[in-house]
Amino acid sequence: MNLGGAIFHIKTIVRRLWKESMNSSEYVHYLRKHGVRVGNNVHFRYPAQTTVDLTRPCLIEIGDNVDINANFALMTHDFGSFVFRGLYKDFVNSSGKVKIGNNIVFGRNVTVLKGVEIGDNCIIGAGSVVSKSIPPLSVAVGSPAKVICSIDDYYEKRKSKSIIEAIEYARELAKTKGGIERLNVCDFSEEWVLFLSLQDYLSNPEIQKEVEFRLKGYINIEDFLERPKPFDDYRSFIDEVRKTSG
């Protein structure tokens, strides 16, 4: 390896180690510093496993309230000219704007390609390759990513399935803890939405932390906990778990 190659190799290692030390806020600052437009409450869960194409940062716009998971890639260009150079003895430029709207969640292993716009209030499923624009209020998945349903339909489906899933989780958890009677409300980091009352929330500091982590800044907690729920309280939920446990 010549001196130039060695220096490049060292710089690459240093850059990688520096990126691995970043948290989400630092990564957002880094992107903004390079000219990417990034809104508020944008969270990169794994900055070290994120690739954002900074060859043309002015072509990237990310809205507010966006959650980005591991192995995310966003590209504003491609390099088809690698082949054109050898085959046609020509070089053709290639670029396109990428706009990500507000209130969007990306699953793991998602790639967003150039020239794509993702509308507000979308879910992009794990493993998707977004090569064409996705309209607002959509759930999209696949390679290439396609809309599989509206966000309204998905919401209603999830509301129904969430009860079945919570009961199944409680049954399996009880097996590992030595019986249903050993379970308590703090064992359920999300399932409390099905049974937690405002009174129980106010009297339990541990569950308060979970609730506030999930809801604070998004939903009025007191109003949310006073809504009608599938189960009157935690005991009613556990009684249903017992019934379905055979």
Side-chain angles (χ1 to χ4, degrees):
M1 182 183 296
N2 59 33
L3 179 60
I7 292 173
F8 177 80
H9 184 64
I10 292 170
K11 284 183 176 179
T12 300
I13 294 173
V14 170
R15 192 180 300 115
R16 185 184 300 125
L17 292 173
W18 170 69
K19 190 177 179 184
E20 287 177 354
S21 70
M22 279 185 177
N23 59 33
S24 179
S25 297
E26 290 167 339
Y27 190 62
V28 167
H29 176 74
Y30 167 76
L31 294 177
R32 287 172 177 160
K33 185 178 177 181
H34 282 77
V36 177
R37 284 169 286 177
V38 183
N40 298 316
N41 194 31
V42 174
H43 183 62
F44 291 88
R45 292 178 178 266
Y46 302 92
Q49 299 173 30
T50 298
T51 301
V52 174
D53 179 3
L54 293 178
T55 61
R56 298 167 180 82
C58 64
L59 292 180
I60 303 172
E61 182 178 347
I62 302 173
D64 299 332
N65 191 31
V66 177
D67 189 279
I68 297 170
N69 215 315
N71 299 321
F72 175 82
L74 185 157
M75 306 304 297
T76 59
H77 80 290
D78 66 40
F79 195 28
S81 279
F82 178 89
V83 175
F84 300 159
R85 287 183 310 186
L87 180 60
Y88 302 116
K89 307 305 177 187
D90 198 5
F91 189 90
V92 183
N93 60 287
S94 174
S95 64
K97 183 177 179 179
V98 174
K99 182 177 181 181
I100 295 172
N102 304 309
N103 199 37
I104 294 171
V105 64
F106 292 92
R108 287 173 173 259
N109 305 309
V110 171
T111 298
V112 179
L113 300 180
K114 69 183 181 72
V116 160
E117 180 172 349
I118 301 174
D120 295 344
N121 303 300
C122 284
I123 297 171
I124 309 299
S128 296
V129 177
V130 185
S131 56
K132 293 184 179 180
S133 293
I134 304 297
L137 299 165
S138 298
V139 178
V141 68
S143 179
K146 295 180 180 179
V147 175
I148 57 171
C149 65
S150 72
I151 200 74
D152 288 338
D153 289 343
Y154 187 64
Y155 171 70
E156 292 302 328
K157 185 185 296 184
R158 291 301 315 132
K159 290 285 283 186
S160 176
K161 285 190 173 182
S162 67
I163 300 171
I164 299 169
E165 291 169 353
I167 292 170
E168 180 183 19
Y169 173 61
R171 286 202 308 263
E172 295 304 313
L173 185 62
K175 293 177 185 177
T176 67
K177 298 193 75 171
I180 292 175
E181 65 280 356
R182 292 183 177 274
L183 300 179
N184 66 72
V185 66
C186 296
D187 288 320
F188 300 97
S189 61
E190 295 183 357
E191 294 77 12
W192 49 261
V193 299
L194 301 174
F195 54 75
L196 188 68
S197 69
L198 178 59
Q199 182 178 353
D200 288 339
Y201 160 78
L202 294 173
S203 63
N204 192 324
E206 190 173 345
I207 201 67
Q208 281 182 33
K209 292 179 182 178
E210 274 305 333
V211 174
E212 290 170 10
F213 173 72
R214 305 288 177 182
L215 304 185
K216 197 170 184 178
Y218 295 93
I219 300 171
N220 182 289
I221 293 174
E222 292 192 6
D223 290 346
F224 181 81
L225 293 178
E226 288 182 334
R227 292 179 191 175
K229 298 177 181 61
F231 302 98
D232 293 334
D233 50 28
Y234 175 68
R235 184 50 49 196
S236 299
F237 170 68
I238 291 300
D239 287 344
E240 186 65 26
V241 174
R242 284 197 177 92
K243 288 179 188 177
T244 60
S245 295

